Amino acid sequence: MFSHFSKYTLPEPTQSALITIDLQNDFVLSGAPAEGKGAARAAAVAGEMVRYYRNHGLPIVHVIRVYSTKDNASNVDVCRREAVENGVQLVLSGTEGMQPVADIIPEGVVADGDLLLTGEPQRISANEQILWKPRWGCFYNTKLNAILREQNVNTVAIAGTWFANCVRTTIYEATAHDYRVVALRDAIAGIHPEGEADLAKIQCGVCDCSEWTALLEATSRP
């Protein structure tokens, strides 16, 4: 599937981490303030991938948004800041809307908005963490790169919402950090053929979760 990739971009499944992006109640649930078309289905498929990584002890990082009205809502994207200042309730710290959807998070785990806003990751198991990102991309002013390097990760498999904004930005940031990148098509809300064609130009792999799981199975066999 990726045989045409170079030796520097060819994904290495057994050295991968799964990154989920913004799969939160306010972005995913039906009727939510910023529900994205197809986000619920992407979250359900991503949940299956999360369980695979969790069951095989592979690294997972759930990267989420946490907005606050403090300091003139300075941690809110500028295109949404005025709306939040005027009372729009969107992924506000301490709200249910901020929480990762049930599809991807272990039962009973609650994301700690106050902790996450410090920039520190919230570790929820030996191989799974939650991390706050202050802007679109998961690498911008976060500890994601350090987290991945500490675990000898060289490949990132990406799921989440919304492709045009946070997912796509993160993919380009990942390549800028020299990671091998795979976009999990059926676990990404808003992905489209033109976008996939653009990703192909930078040798970012695009495949369904079932195909990625098959690669993981094949490469993990002794």
Side-chain angles (χ1 to χ4, degrees):
M1 180 167 38
F2 304 127
S3 59
H4 61 291
F5 281 26
S6 81
K7 64 181 181 180
Y8 299 109
T9 60
L10 183 66
E12 296 185 353
T14 57
Q15 288 184 259
S16 69
L18 176 63
I19 312 297
T20 74
I21 303 173
D22 292 351
L23 292 177
Q24 298 166 260
N25 292 331
D26 274 349
F27 296 132
V28 173
L29 298 186
S30 178
E35 177 192 359
K37 183 179 180 181
R41 172 171 169 71
V45 177
E48 296 174 8
M49 198 76 257
V50 166
R51 286 185 284 277
Y52 181 93
Y53 268 70
R54 192 179 288 149
N55 290 339
H56 288 79
L58 294 168
I60 305 166
V61 185
H62 304 291
V63 187
I64 66 173
R65 300 308 308 266
V66 184
Y67 288 161
S68 171
T69 56
K70 295 179 181 178
D71 301 321
N72 297 317
S74 60
N75 81 328
V76 181
D77 306 280
V78 290
C79 65
R80 295 173 177 162
R81 191 172 301 166
E82 186 173 1
V84 171
E85 284 181 326
N86 291 335
V88 169
Q89 301 286 301
L90 184 63
V91 292
L92 291 177
S93 181
T95 65
E96 189 62 26
M98 179 208 82
Q99 293 297 319
V101 294
D103 291 296
I104 66 166
I105 212 75
E107 186 176 357
V109 170
V110 177
D112 185 339
D114 290 340
L115 169 65
L116 293 168
L117 283 172
T118 69
E120 292 299 318
Q122 178 181 349
R123 184 174 291 278
I124 58 177
S125 77
N127 299 298
E128 194 167 351
Q129 303 178 61
I130 305 172
L131 185 69
W132 164 66
K133 62 182 177 66
R135 291 294 183 267
W136 307 118
C138 293
F139 287 88
Y140 177 78
N141 278 358
T142 75
K143 294 187 176 182
L144 180 58
N145 186 47
I147 290 169
L148 298 177
R149 296 303 185 195
E150 286 172 2
Q151 299 179 85
N152 297 315
V153 168
N154 69 10
T155 299
V156 290
I158 293 180
T161 187
W162 179 255
F163 173 73
N165 300 340
C166 301
V167 172
R168 187 166 184 156
T169 301
T170 298
I171 287 171
Y172 281 92
E173 287 179 339
T175 63
H177 284 81
D178 292 342
Y179 288 98
R180 303 154 195 261
V181 186
V182 175
L184 300 172
R185 179 193 292 113
D186 50 347
I188 296 174
I191 196 166
H192 48 79
E194 294 81 4
E196 291 189 26
D198 286 341
L199 297 183
K201 294 173 185 176
I202 60 169
Q203 291 192 15
C204 167
V206 181
C207 66
D208 289 339
C209 288
S210 60
E211 295 173 300
W212 185 240
T213 301
L215 280 176
L216 280 161
E217 290 287 334
T219 53
S220 62
R221 292 189 192 120

